[in-house]
Structures are given as structure tokens and as C-alpha cells.
Amino acid sequence: MSPEGIPLPSKSSARLAALTVAAVCSAASTVVLTSPAHADSVRIHDIQGSTRISPYAGKQVTDVTGIVTGVRTYGSSRGFWIQDPEPDADPATSEGVFVFTGSTPKVAVGDAVTVSGTVSEFVPGGTSSGNQSLTEITRPTVTVVSGGNAVPAPTVVDARSVPDVYAPAGDTTANGSINALPLKPATYALDHYESLEGMNVRVADARVVGATDPYTELWVTVKPREHANRRGGTVYGSYDSQNTGRLQIQSLGKAADFPSANVGDTLTGTTVGPLDYNQFGGYTLVANEMGTLKSGGVQRETTRKQSRGELAVATYNVENLDPSDTTFPAHAAAIVNNLKSPDIVSLEEIQDNNGATNDGTVAADRTVTELIDAIVAAGGPRYDWRSIDPADDADGGEPGGNIRQVFLFNPERVSFTDRAGGDATTATGVTKVRGTAQLTVSPGRVDPTDPAWTNSRKPLAGEFVFRGRTVFVIANHFNSKGGDQGLTSQYQPPARSSEVQRHQQATAVHAFVKDILDAQKNADVIALGDINDFEFSETAKILEGDGELWSAIKSLPKSERYTYDYQGNSQVLDQILVSPSIRRGCDFSYDSVHVNAEFHDQISDHDPQVLRFEP
């Protein structure tokens, strides 16, 4: 899954496609046991140079000397790292480099080697990704000079060595690229990491800030105090809060030996290995030696139950849920035990009855019924539900899955006002009846034919009644962040092209909310769901307008504002926005309930949130 709730190609397939670029221009390596390197050979620091692009890119180099510090024998990116044990005096020039073989290398850690081949700049993910390039020696001829040599001592990466400023501003004459800028490793974090590309590095007693994922990766921070929250993560609170101490950890060992870590755990002792750069996280320590995992004791949160007079409304992205999944009991337990059975639950990413099978099926009654039955089995209420089936393959997401938003509601606590006529393409509107606002269609979709919703989920609007008062709820799942440049991009600041569509979507939802409030100034309106953008973003500002809505997550301290963890940044993607009548209420409360994002055994990549208020 992407951080935005929409599936991307699997990491394995994406890596294979990306690495094929390198494989096409790289022949299998040749290992020769002969004499030592020539004295006048090019050195590794000459190849790396003092910018991101090698001055030798595209050129042949001969008899480059080094000690093997790591060997990668799996995947399409097979090869090994070498490091010069005699560094130069320039801190901007790395002493390590990756040798791409394409087949299983016939060297071992501690071998002294000479390498001849072509210097290349490989861009993980392809040039259109915006990623930085990785300097490699390709089509190599390798000479093993001796074995059992001492590996160059690892360079320590810690809070003292990594600068607090993340990246230099890009060169305006080069579309914002930082590739040609001289590296300033004492000034910028990205420059510091780049100056260590391919080198043996070490982190010590590093706290986990991104849980172990299915691809045997995790994230740590070397700056334990940097934007820390009480549960052990690092909070991404603005576009200038990239958290410079974050570093991805992979392993050169067996996947089965990789630690199953949660946020707040610690890799005690030392973690040592070459510093790589990859498509799925940028700078990555590929460990030969892994620290020992120490639990931080973080537990899944439980919110309080709403009082008799409070309406509890929740949003929960259940990550492509379909009848073939085994996670229904776990989702049900989270709703019943951790969320305390909210009165209304907006679900995102409910798939149709046969999931990703792309055969024209759009109904999702089996998916929803299975979840409702699981909730009853977990001791919760028997929820009723409302939704609108999308047109086939018109709403984005996994092809064939037809994800949509669904309202669950507890009929013993709240009623739904049904007004017929809603379908995939019919828009609901707002009318004023005896001084109060009403929807023309309920449930209904908000302006579903607007180009803002092309290949994206259309908002679902419904009218509920709690203790005699109408509450309007609009369930959203905005356009994903797919296509945006990453924080470690060669372009700084990175482009966020995907937000153009989210701005259009926010404009449409805000206009609909304004129609309700124009018809009834004191109407209780809630717009919620996977907004796929931050509480400080322009998307949120457009949604909020001139006070028509307000993102309730801002009622929490800044250190507690997160619903998702991406590349070690605890951040907001899911939001509950409320109208002034709710915000100004005496008994308004909001909670982001951390049950998924911080855990390696998550059942969804999103944490649910719940709002409680007295209408």
C-alpha cells in the first residue's frame, strides 16, 4: 500500500522493473585471481567526487582498489560494496561504492579487490521518479588480491554528526535539482548522507520510528529528541519538519532473522553496514551487524466510551477489505474494544464482493455483512449500513476492487434519514425546509461527475438523527499522494503534483458544506475520512474555508497529531472536520486511536479516529 491508501505495484515488482534498467546495461561480472592494482589507479573518492553525480559517469575505470564491506546475494540488485581504507581529507567525497554484478558475487567481506568497469549513475525507480542516483561500477571485472582483511571502521552516524537542516534549495536553473551542487555535509543532512554513500556506517542504540514492514525494513532515528512523541515516534508537523535523523534499516542477512519491531522499540548496541540509496526510502543502512531489539512496551490504544448524551463518530480506513481477507475479526475487535463501538463509523477502502477480481462486480454487501457479523461476534452492536456502489473501475484504487466509503451506524442509538435516488453518478443537493437544511438524496454522492473526482473516490453524504437533532456526515477518500517526489528527491523542495487534484476535491466538498450552512447556519456537519493530506496542508485550508469547517485533530497537542507512519514520520492523513456548532460545543472531544500504524502486525496502515460531542 502507498501511504495514501491506494495500492501501488508491489515493492518486489517495482524493484525488478527499476533494476532491469541497470541490468540491461550491465554484463555479468568476471572474477580474476591475479596481481594487485596499479599504483596510478583511480580511487573511490575520485569516482564519487564532491557532488551527487560522479565526474567519471559513463567512463571506464581500471583497477579501483577497496576492501569488500558487504555482499548482496539476493534480488536483481546483486553486487557488493567496496571501501578504500586510505581516505582522502575531503569530507564531501565518499570512500565507498557499490559494484553491480547482476549475479551472485564471488567475493566475501574482507576481500581486498581491484575492480575495473563502467561508472554509472543508477536512479532507483527511474528518472521520472525524481529520486537521487546511486553511483555504481557496472560491467565489472573483479580481481581478488587477498582475503580476511580488516574491514574499514564504520563511520558513526548520530545526533552530533547529522545537521539539523535537511536539504539545500535546488538549483533554479536546473529545475530545482541539487545534483550539481557541491556537497556540504556539515550543513545539510542529505549532503551528509550522500557523502557517506556506499561507506560502512554505524548507528548505536537507535530508537525505532517506523515499524518493521512486510519487506523486512524498518526506520530508526539517530536523533532521539527530534520531534519525539510520547509513544516513541517522530512527528512530521510541517513541510520543514522532515526529521533529519530518520534512517531506513535493511539487512544483508536472512529475512527470518530480521527483528519484528514496533515504534518505540530500540535497536540496542550497534547496527553496522554499507549506506545504500533505494527507491523505497532513500538512504538505507544495509546491515551486516544488527543491534538487539529491546521492546519499548508500546500498546494499542483504547479510547473512552461515549456517554449517553454524546454522539460518537469515527473514521477508519480498513485497507482494501474484501471477503477473502482474514482480518475481519481483528477489525471488529478494534471497532468494539479500542473504539468502543462508535455510533457512526465511516469506513474507507471497502472493496466489492470479490475484491481485486476484475469481472464487473461492484456490489459490496458481502464485504460489509461479514464485517458487521464479526462486530456482533466481538460483542458489539449489530450495525446497519448505507453506501452507494461505484461505477466499475471508475474510482481508482486496486483494479477490480472498486473501493468505496461505507457508513455503519448503530440503529439503537442513531437513525438514518433515507431519501431515494442516489447512485454512482447522481449528485445529492441541499434544500431548505422550514428553516432547516435537508439533503435531496440520502445517501448520496457529492458532485460525482465533477472532474475533481476522476479516477478517485466520490464523497458519500448522509443525514443522521441523534436525540432528535440532524447531523450531516460526509465520508471522503481523497486522491492519493502517488506521483509526488520523495523527501530525499534530487529536486528540493520536492514537487507535490498530486495535491492539485486534492485541492479541487477540497473545493468541491467545502462548497457542499457551505450550501448546508447557508441553508442552516447552526447545522451540525462533519466531513471526515482519508483526506490523504496533512492538517497543515493547503488541502486542509481549502476544506476549512473561512471557518465553515475545522480539523479536529488540531485540538490535540502537536506531538500527538498523527494517524499514519510513513518512512519513520508520524503524520496526519486521516481527518475529522467539524462545523462551528460542533466545535463550540461544551463537550467536544477528539481522539486518534493508535492501533495500527506503529505496529509491525498491523491490520491496516491507518489509525482510526473518533469524535464525541453533544448535538
Side-chain angles (χ1 to χ4, degrees):
M1 294 298 295
S2 76
E4 301 76 28
I6 181 170
L8 297 173
S10 69
K11 282 193 176 181
S12 58
S13 63
R15 280 186 170 131
L16 180 60
L19 290 165
T20 299
V21 176
V24 166
C25 61
S26 303
S29 63
T30 303
V31 176
V32 183
L33 294 173
T34 60
S35 58
H38 300 303
D40 58 351
S41 300
V42 172
R43 305 286 287 275
I44 293 175
H45 48 250
D46 298 322
I47 293 172
Q48 287 285 7
S50 58
T51 70
R52 285 173 165 78
I53 302 299
S54 171
Y56 287 84
K59 298 178 181 179
Q60 293 290 118
V61 290
T62 303
D63 292 342
V64 180
T65 62
I67 305 294
V68 176
T69 59
V71 181
R72 183 151 56 200
T73 60
Y74 55 86
S76 298
S77 184
R78 298 181 187 185
F80 59 95
W81 289 267
I82 59 173
Q83 183 167 334
D84 193 330
E86 299 179 7
D88 66 3
D90 187 351
T93 57
S94 171
E95 301 296 338
V97 71
F98 184 69
V99 180
F100 176 77
T101 60
S103 59
T104 301
K106 298 176 182 178
V107 296
V109 172
D111 282 352
V113 300
T114 63
V115 178
S116 299
T118 303
V119 176
S120 69
E121 291 291 340
F122 169 60
V123 181
T127 55
S128 63
S129 69
N131 288 328
Q132 294 185 50
S133 60
L134 179 68
T135 303
E136 299 179 337
I137 300 176
T138 63
R139 301 173 183 259
T141 299
V142 180
T143 300
V144 177
V145 178
S146 62
N149 298 281
V151 172
T155 300
V156 174
V157 179
D158 60 11
R160 186 172 298 179
S161 66
V162 179
D164 293 331
V165 180
Y166 194 65
D171 185 348
T172 56
T173 65
N175 298 317
S177 175
I178 58 176
N179 274 348
L181 299 180
L183 294 177
K184 298 181 179 179
T187 304
Y188 302 112
L190 287 190
D191 287 12
H192 179 72
Y193 292 128
E194 177 65 19
S195 73
L196 300 175
E197 179 192 271
M199 289 179 61
N200 204 28
V201 299
R202 174 173 73 90
V203 299
D205 297 328
R207 192 179 73 243
V208 176
V209 292
T212 301
D213 65 21
Y215 308 99
T216 57
E217 302 163 341
L218 60 81
W219 288 77
V220 300
T221 182
V222 300
K223 293 185 174 184
R225 297 183 181 180
E226 186 177 49
H227 303 123
N229 65 46
R230 61 185 175 83
R231 292 173 61 84
T234 56
V235 176
Y236 182 70
S238 76
Y239 292 122
D240 297 320
S241 176
Q242 300 96 332
N243 292 312
T244 61
R246 294 175 304 111
L247 195 62
Q248 189 179 60
I249 304 292
Q250 295 177 344
S251 175
L252 285 170
K254 296 179 180 178
D257 297 330
F258 197 81
S260 297
N262 297 327
V263 169
D265 293 349
T266 300
L267 288 180
T268 62
T270 59
T271 299
V272 179
L275 189 65
D276 195 23
Y277 183 94
N278 67 59
Q279 177 183 355
F280 302 101
Y283 295 103
T284 300
L285 193 164
V286 188
N288 277 317
E289 174 188 337
M290 187 77 70
T292 302
L293 187 67
K294 178 182 178 182
S295 174
V298 174
Q299 300 293 316
R300 286 177 164 85
E301 284 190 332
T302 297
T303 195
R304 71 170 176 84
K305 187 172 181 60
Q306 66 271 28
S307 69
R308 180 181 177 86
E310 288 180 312
L311 178 67
V313 183
T315 178
Y316 187 16
N317 184 321
V318 290
E319 194 176 1
N320 285 329
L321 190 67
D322 75 73
S324 69
D325 289 331
T326 60
T327 55
F328 284 94
H331 283 303
I335 291 170
V336 174
N337 300 321
N338 300 92
L339 295 182
K340 298 298 182 182
S341 302
D343 302 306
I344 301 170
V345 183
S346 169
L347 299 171
E348 298 87 49
E349 294 201 29
I350 290 287
Q351 290 199 341
D352 64 33
N353 288 336
N354 60 13
T357 301
N358 198 356
D359 62 357
T361 299
V362 294
D365 53 304
R366 282 183 55 204
T367 308
V368 179
T369 299
E370 187 165 346
L371 179 59
I372 290 172
D373 289 345
I375 290 170
V376 173
R382 179 164 291 281
Y383 283 102
D384 202 347
W385 66 284
R386 297 291 187 275
S387 187
I388 292 177
D389 293 335
D392 188 37
D393 283 337
D395 283 15
E398 188 175 24
N402 291 310
I403 55 176
R404 84 289 309 273
Q405 297 87 267
V406 171
F407 290 131
L408 298 185
F409 62 96
N410 182 355
E412 296 182 3
R413 293 264 300 164
V414 65
S415 62
F416 190 88
T417 302
D418 287 292
R419 293 196 180 89
D423 60 28
T425 57
T426 299
T428 185
V430 180
T431 60
K432 187 173 184 179
V433 179
R434 293 187 292 276
T436 61
Q438 288 186 3
L439 300 184
T440 59
V441 172
S442 177
R445 290 181 139 195
V446 176
D447 208 2
T449 59
D450 187 316
W453 309 110
T454 300
N455 200 37
S456 187
R457 283 68 55 186
K458 285 69 175 173
L460 177 70
E463 240 182 83
F464 296 84
V465 177
F466 177 72
R467 298 171 69 90
R469 183 166 174 89
T470 295
V471 179
F472 299 92
V473 182
I474 306 159
N476 302 278
H477 187 179
F478 281 10
N479 178 51
S480 85
K481 289 183 178 291
D484 286 2
Q485 294 170 354
L487 292 181
T488 59
S489 170
Q490 64 164 287
Y491 301 104
Q492 294 293 331
R496 302 187 298 271
S497 59
S498 69
E499 68 183 12
V500 173
Q501 188 173 6
R502 285 194 299 280
H503 292 174
Q504 296 168 348
Q505 294 174 341
T507 299
V509 173
H510 175 263
F512 184 73
V513 171
K514 194 171 186 305
D515 285 346
I516 297 174
L517 296 179
D518 286 345
Q520 182 184 341
K521 184 177 181 180
N522 68 339
D524 291 335
V525 184
I526 300 171
L528 78 176
D530 183 356
I531 304 302
N532 263 323
D533 224 333
F534 315 117
E535 80 281 12
F536 54 80
S537 67
E538 186 65 22
T539 302
K541 292 176 183 176
I542 294 170
L543 269 172
E544 291 178 320
D546 294 324
E548 289 83 8
L549 289 173
W550 179 72
S551 184
I553 201 166
K554 293 193 289 189
S555 66
L556 300 179
K558 289 185 177 181
S559 63
E560 296 182 24
R561 298 178 189 175
Y562 63 98
T563 71
Y564 194 87
D565 192 302
Y566 181 61
Q567 296 184 349
N569 271 330
S570 297
Q571 58 193 251
V572 170
L573 289 185
D574 313 82
Q575 299 188 48
I576 300 178
L577 297 99
V578 299
S579 61
S581 62
I582 299 174
R583 181 183 179 185
R584 295 167 188 161
C586 298
D587 296 301
F588 152 75
S589 68
Y590 171 89
D591 194 3
S592 182
V593 188
H594 304 303
V595 297
N596 285 321
E598 298 167 321
F599 299 91
H600 74 272
D601 56 348
Q602 58 188 224
I603 53 172
S604 169
D605 44 0
H606 293 252
D607 286 331
Q609 299 86 58
V610 62
L611 170 81
R612 293 175 291 262
F613 71 103
E614 293 188 7

